[in-house]
Amino acid sequence: MPRKVSVAAWGAALFISWNAILLLYLMSRPKAPDASDLTAHVIRLAEDAEAELEKQKDLLQQIHHYSRLLNRRPAPPNAARGPELPQRLFNASSPSPTPVAPESQSAVIPVLVVACDRPSVRKCLDSLLKYRPTAEQFPIIVSQDCGHAETSRVIDSYGDAITHISQPDLSEVPAPPEHRKFQGYYKISRHYRWALNQIFRVMGYKSAIVVEDDLEVAPDFYEYFLSTHYLLRKDPTLWCVSAWNDNGKEAIVEAKGASILHRSDFFPGLGWLLLRELWEELEPKWPAAFWDDWVRRPEQRLDRACVRPELPRTRTFGRKGVSQGQFFDQHLRFIKLNQEPVAFTKIDLSYLLKENYDPWFVGQVYEAPKVRAEEVLQGQVPGGRTVRVEYTTRDTFKAMARAFGVMDDLKSGVARVAYKGVVTFTHRGRRVFLAPPQGWGGYDPSWT
């Protein structure tokens, strides 16, 4: 008993002393710099605060450890690690030539183009038809809302190359008074519901690729979806495959990473594949508006992930829309569309199955050396091609994301492209994991 008391007293004294030192340290910090150096100063302060919090956490853990020393139990053996996965994921070396399942190669996958009042849908359709292998395997169905005559004429000009269907209800959608200015979002949600019901319930297809009318596609767009289709059948923890990378700007993607694919907890949209079973799950509770943010909520996502590419297979050219060009000028127009076709159907993509991917991914992230964001930004990290930068708060994440030029917004607590809380990108040729501490407890929906 005296031994336990002395340990507790020693721990309490040490903790109080450390906090006194920390208070003196914070009071001695220099004044804030000029606005020109504000970003670096904010990151430095955030990292200093996180470093001090980590030290306090370690200190408390040591106190707890010594206070339980007499009753200490042996640690459990290390869990077995998953199978070795191809290093090409992050170094873009040659893919392994294992073909995809034959049943997926013969799957019929319609492309649903969601259109309204943009005659520029021609650019989207030209792109889809240019790279389409066969009309039999990839029928293109354009669903038009709005009743816009000029857009309708453009769609009809393609004749039998596509199928043109029209959403019949063009009335205003009932909405709360405070949402009157969002009427466009209500109409979009109604259109999606009608169009997907046509694909799955009326036409009877088992899967579909959804594309909006302001997207153009990469040369290997169809190859990409054909090869990943079977993953949705095989892995219940996957619910979509997307052609989009929200952080797909040329400066922050792997320059030669056309074959690199990732898992992501964030629903990307903008060219995505889903199965009929998912639509049967979502359709009865489909929202009146803002369907994409609704899909990202925890009660819809249910801890499922999407597959997404390092280099995007779609790119938007549409500044006009209900979002009034939101993100377009600052971000979307800089997205790099892949131009180097990859024979994905000849690659073994089973590494993307959760049982294989998760152990490998966690190892890659937390075995990478931990460095400060400021060191990476200023090129002060010697050697090594992969590093980890840690965040513990929403504000720290947002400050670091902005500094690196990646998207900093969160939806239901999930950052764009994040997997297990980790946002991966490149900075000056170096792979960076912007990651929470090891032992991360999951997404916090209040981070939004």
Side-chain angles (χ1 to χ4, degrees):
M1 184 66 178
R3 181 179 177 184
K4 289 185 180 180
V5 172
S6 64
V7 170
W10 170 82
L14 182 60
F15 187 70
I16 293 169
S17 300
W18 177 260
N19 277 276
I21 295 171
L22 175 59
L23 180 61
L24 290 173
Y25 165 78
L26 292 174
M27 292 175 62
S28 66
R29 296 287 297 173
K31 293 182 179 180
D34 295 336
S36 60
D37 195 35
L38 186 58
T39 298
H41 181 69
V42 168
I43 292 176
R44 192 158 50 247
L45 283 176
E47 290 184 323
D48 287 346
E50 289 201 358
E52 296 304 325
L53 288 171
E54 282 296 312
K55 289 177 182 177
Q56 290 205 29
K57 178 182 174 182
D58 291 343
L59 184 59
L60 287 170
Q61 287 176 340
Q62 289 182 43
I63 293 170
H64 183 66
H65 166 75
Y66 286 114
S67 69
R68 297 184 60 191
L69 191 62
L70 295 177
N71 297 318
R72 183 180 179 184
R73 297 178 181 179
N78 292 329
R81 295 197 57 178
E84 280 297 312
L85 297 184
Q87 288 300 312
R88 62 185 171 81
L89 286 179
F90 291 144
N91 66 17
S93 63
S94 300
S96 54
T98 305
V100 73
E103 60 272 20
S104 287
Q105 293 194 38
S106 60
V108 175
I109 310 174
V111 179
L112 171 64
V113 180
V114 181
C116 182
D117 60 354
R118 290 188 279 212
S120 59
V121 66
R122 182 181 299 278
K123 187 173 182 179
C124 171
L125 294 176
D126 286 347
S127 177
L128 286 168
L129 290 168
K130 179 180 180 180
Y131 299 117
R132 181 170 67 171
T134 68
E136 292 74 25
Q137 188 166 26
F138 295 100
I140 297 174
I141 300 154
V142 184
S143 178
Q144 186 188 1
D145 199 1
C146 310
H148 191 254
E150 185 181 356
T151 301
S152 183
R153 285 193 294 270
V154 169
I155 297 169
D156 287 339
S157 70
Y158 287 88
D160 294 338
I162 64 169
T163 299
H164 184 188
I165 59 177
S166 297
Q167 199 279 116
D169 185 359
L170 303 182
S171 64
E172 293 292 296
V173 182
E178 64 272 18
H179 277 190
R180 284 175 184 165
K181 63 181 179 179
F182 299 126
Q183 180 66 208
Y185 291 99
Y186 280 78
K187 289 183 177 181
I188 287 173
S189 190
R190 177 178 65 184
H191 185 195
Y192 264 84
R193 185 177 205 159
W194 182 86
L196 287 166
N197 273 333
Q198 295 299 304
I199 294 293
F200 292 121
R201 299 190 187 279
V202 177
M203 300 179 187
Y205 289 111
K206 296 180 180 179
S207 59
I209 302 166
V210 182
V211 174
E212 295 187 2
D213 59 355
D214 62 346
L215 295 178
E216 59 180 321
V217 305
D220 57 357
F221 173 85
Y222 294 99
E223 176 87 1
Y224 169 67
F225 282 115
L226 189 61
S227 65
T228 52
H229 178 269
Y230 89 98
L231 296 173
L232 297 183
R233 297 283 180 200
K234 190 173 181 65
D235 187 346
T237 70
L238 289 173
W239 70 330
C240 89
V241 176
S242 174
W244 183 252
N245 176 1
D246 280 288
N247 290 323
K249 292 185 285 190
E250 188 165 8
I252 52 177
V253 294
E254 187 83 38
K256 297 182 179 179
S259 66
I260 300 175
L261 304 181
H262 306 264
R263 289 176 68 106
S264 172
D265 293 323
F266 189 88
F267 172 77
L270 296 180
W272 54 289
L273 170 69
L274 76 159
L275 301 180
R276 182 168 61 193
E277 290 83 352
L278 178 60
W279 180 242
E280 290 172 346
E281 171 192 331
L282 298 178
E283 193 272 340
K285 53 181 179 176
W286 193 250
F290 310 107
W291 71 268
D292 49 349
D293 285 343
W294 175 85
V295 162
R296 293 168 180 141
R297 292 178 185 172
E299 58 266 32
Q300 270 67 251
R301 191 171 68 83
L302 299 176
D303 292 325
R304 292 173 291 191
C306 295
V307 173
R308 59 102 179 167
E310 175 80 5
L311 270 63
R313 266 56 186 190
T314 55
R315 178 173 60 194
T316 179
F317 55 81
R319 191 176 185 279
K320 174 190 173 185
V322 294
S323 62
Q324 303 297 317
Q326 182 185 23
F327 294 138
F328 186 84
D329 290 333
Q330 295 82 15
H331 181 74
L332 296 178
R333 68 190 182 97
F334 298 108
I335 295 295
K336 177 181 175 61
L337 183 68
N338 179 60
Q339 295 297 332
E340 299 179 12
V342 175
F344 282 114
T345 53
K346 294 182 172 61
I347 298 174
D348 181 6
L349 299 181
S350 63
Y351 68 85
L352 290 162
L353 301 174
K354 184 178 179 66
E355 62 191 33
N356 298 330
Y357 190 87
D358 282 12
W360 172 85
F361 180 75
V362 170
Q364 288 284 303
V365 172
Y366 293 102
E367 290 171 13
K370 179 183 173 182
V371 298
R372 295 161 64 96
E374 188 178 8
E375 294 173 326
V376 181
L377 290 165
Q378 296 180 0
Q380 297 175 347
V381 181
R385 195 169 174 277
T386 303
V387 295
R388 181 174 87 258
V389 176
E390 284 194 358
Y391 69 89
T392 58
T393 68
R394 179 186 63 179
D395 291 343
T396 305
F397 167 80
K398 292 177 75 69
M400 292 178 177
R402 288 173 188 156
F404 281 113
V406 303
M407 297 287 280
D408 70 324
D409 62 322
L410 304 105
K411 304 288 187 179
S412 296
V414 185
R416 294 179 186 269
V417 314
Y419 189 64
K420 293 188 174 297
V422 181
V423 172
T424 175
F425 56 94
T426 65
H427 179 76
R428 297 177 183 172
R430 185 190 302 276
R431 176 65 59 177
V432 178
F433 296 118
L434 184 54
Q438 195 164 13
W440 172 73
Y443 295 105
D444 182 348
S446 70
W447 288 26
T448 188

